[in-house]
Amino acid sequence: MAPADAPTGSPAGGPADRAAELRALVTHHFERYHADNAPEIPDADYDLLVAELRSLEAEYPELAAPDSPSHWVGSPGRTTFDEVEHRVPMQSLDNVFDIDGLRAWSERVVRRLGDDAPDPAWACELKFDGLAVSLRYENGVLVQAATRGDGRVGEDVTANAATIADVPRSLGDGAPPVLEVRGEVYLGLAAFDALNALRTEAGQATFANPRNTAAGSLRQKNPEVTAARHLSFWVYQTGEVVDGPPLASHRETLAWLAGLGLPVNDQVERLDDFDEVVTFVAAAGATRHDLDYEIDGVVVKVDDLALQERLGSTARAPRWAVAYKLPPEERTTHLIDIEVSIGPGGQATPFARLEPVFVGGSTVTTATLHNADQAAAKDVRPGDLVVVRKAGDVIPEVVGPVLAERPVGLAAWTFPTECPACGGPLVRPEGEAATFCTDYQCPRQVRGRIQHFASRGAMDIEGFGEQRVDLFVTEGLVGDAADVFSLDYDRITAMEGFGETSVANLRAAVDTARTRPLGRLLFALRIPHVGSTVADLLAAAFGDLDGLRVAEMADIEAVAGVGPVIAASLRDWLGDERNGALLSRLRVAGVDPVAEAPQDPGAPAQTLAGLSIVVTGTLTGYSRDEARAAITAHGGKSPGAVSTKTSALVAGKGGGSKSARAEELGVPVLDEEGFERLLATGRLPG
Ligand code: IVH
């Protein structure tokens, strides 16, 4: 058995439990990805979670909830765009992952063309890592830009695409009456770094990678925001063309498009011999880091347009082109040491401390080794030269040692037996992959529990972030969640770095948290198996803490979406007298929540509950009344004046005096983009 507070990542119960768990996981990662622009797991892993949830819901229709995240196609509260039907469908490409796959594809092409056709010439070009966009020019003037969408219907992003410097508003002489071109919108690496530097300066979360940032930037409500992101564009194909010139090859097409003023990448080659294609692919892999933009492969196309036509397409992709996907970027660096971090549930995770290395678009200094088995299997040792890559191009990973470079006599690393934080024993429960520090009072666990308790999605206490939790625990101001509600504010005021305003804000945030609904509290307490979705289900079923405390196993199991595993875990947790004492102390501190009133299923998420948001100036996407209505619809208040109680000021153009007052009081000031993010996430900057 895992220790009482151990986190669980694997399904323990039946399909209902797994569905509930998946919903919570998908919701969490969806928010990290879309709302925070900070994905924690590779896209591929996220897709797997969604796919598993969908297949579970398909298999067990009784589990399919109308509000399941499996139905989401965009971020909640996100801007929507008009639909654009693509007259020529925007297809995708089939992928190959090695030279054998590429050769097999080329042989299929030759076979399909038959003996009477000449051997085709290959057009090789880079596969840009951005998002596909279609641009429609009528009589040489840009009239529409659309995303790929599902290939048949995309979104109209004309106003935003028109802000991209590489996208001509009008074409040069000789443009046909209708010319639709397709290409990739991307964010160059220098622009990406500059953007993140600005965000860091402004205290905003940085973006995770250029591709997601490009996609998010093109789907902004306000084109000025898109313009400020400095996106770029490469054209690589035509779509619908009316009365265009006679063209015989892809290469001629690109030359024609370049002549009209469209940006064509210069690394395009027409190659007759397949061995030359292999050389092109190898060169692209070797030089990908010399570029100021990211590529994830090479696209090989049959150059001759008549042969393309003969080859045709499948429902998904053309037969005349293929994407050779470059392997995730790998780099070597020295492994300085292997350390173990302790999570809030005591989970001990080994990670590599690395000499800084630039890989996959960012500098990496640490990489997880996941668990004892993985660390042992990789057998990397402090002092080794190791290969590092980004899994899914997001999370750094140590691939393995470069054995040829291993110094003689280098000692193998062994998993420590003592917790680096508290010195207590590290225990690996039978049958589990994870190892745990079992001391409930381990300072890392104490900090982790309090951090989670105060975090967004849990009790959401503004100003109670990681650093402050560390400080308050070190200073002995808090030891558990109940202490959060009896802080010694006089002592805090006397501490370095705190002024009266920040202490007043902290006090207000803590007071606000007292009124969070029961579901939030249950999630905040980190009861094993109780994620935010299950917490809400339990809250709705039992109404308040007393209802839950006296509930029998059978009552808990009877709650839809809660199976025997969760019920047993909850009963165990409630039965532990330390937890009983914690709940009693929370109650004494005024934390005795009830379940939220059931919501109208069509109502927006109550992201702004407890927040007071003032609106000033002129916004582009909302009238003042609409902005206020959006705030109240999301559960917030929108008074007319800025005061110490104001959570944030949304300032459009010309909102001078209120902005000055907000600044004076330390109230965060948001622009329209910040406002939309706030509506979607309920998260205040800072
Ligand atoms: S040609 C019928 N050329 O890769 C589709 N696509 O994985 C023809 N891409 O949706 C596409 N660079 O967004 C083509 N040089 C290039 C490309 C490219 C990037 C993207 C494109 C496509 C995706 C497929």
Side-chain angles (χ1 to χ4, degrees), residues 106-122 272 302 304-311:
S106 76
E107 286 166 0
R108 276 198 304 279
V109 166
V110 172
R111 250 198 327 273
R112 198 171 253 279
L113 287 173
D115 291 340
D116 58 325
D119 272 354
W122 312 103
D272 290 315
V302 170
D304 187 302
L305 298 184
L307 296 185
Q308 284 191 5
E309 182 100 18
R310 255 167 84 173
L311 287 161

Side-chain angles (χ1 to χ4, degrees), residues 90 126-137 142 144-148 155-168 181-189 191-192 195 209-220 223 225-237 262-265 292-296:
M90 284 182 83
L126 303 178
K127 184 170 184 313
F128 314 109
D129 199 8
L131 71 151
V133 166
S134 142
L135 303 177
R136 185 179 178 82
Y137 290 88
L142 177 69
Q144 191 168 64
T147 61
R148 176 172 180 276
E155 290 174 316
D156 186 335
V157 289
T158 312
N160 293 341
T163 69
I164 300 173
D166 290 339
V167 171
V181 295
R182 273 108 192 244
E184 202 83 350
V185 165
Y186 67 95
L187 186 60
L189 293 174
F192 176 68
L195 178 61
N209 63 50
R211 173 169 38 101
N212 292 350
T213 314
S217 301
L218 194 66
R219 296 184 74 259
Q220 291 291 322
V225 177
T226 309
R229 298 280 168 84
H230 301 291
L231 297 170
S232 302
F233 178 70
W234 293 124
V235 68
Y236 51 64
Q237 209 73 36
L262 285 153
V264 176
N265 187 270
D292 178 43
Y293 47 85
E294 294 200 318
I295 60 168
D296 60 341

Side-chain angles (χ1 to χ4, degrees), residues 231-293:
L231 297 170
S232 302
F233 178 70
W234 293 124
V235 68
Y236 51 64
Q237 209 73 36
T238 54
E240 189 188 13
V241 185
V242 175
D243 288 341
L247 296 165
S249 68
H250 181 60
R251 202 177 44 163
E252 277 181 25
T253 309
L254 291 182
W256 174 56
L257 296 177
L260 291 172
L262 285 153
V264 176
N265 187 270
D266 58 6
Q267 293 200 41
V268 188
E269 283 190 41
R270 179 185 190 276
L271 302 168
D272 290 315
D273 186 354
F274 187 77
D275 288 342
E276 293 173 313
V277 174
V278 174
T279 308
F280 184 97
V281 165
T287 55
R288 66 193 289 193
H289 306 299
D290 303 340
L291 303 169
D292 178 43
Y293 47 85

Side-chain angles (χ1 to χ4, degrees), residues 20-21 23-24 27-28 31 67 69 72 457-459 516-525 527 529-544 548 556 559-562 566 570 593-599 605-607:
E21 181 176 50
R23 286 191 190 117
T27 306
H28 173 84
E31 282 170 2
D67 61 349
W72 294 344
M459 297 301 266
R516 297 270 182 256
L518 179 61
R520 290 281 196 122
L521 176 65
L522 293 177
F523 173 61
L525 290 169
I527 303 166
H529 295 274
V530 179
S532 57
T533 310
V534 170
D536 286 342
L537 293 173
L538 292 167
F542 296 102
D544 58 20
L548 201 59
I556 305 176
V559 177
V562 176
I566 297 175
L570 179 61
V594 291
E596 249 172 335
Q599 266 182 36
Q606 299 299 286
T607 43

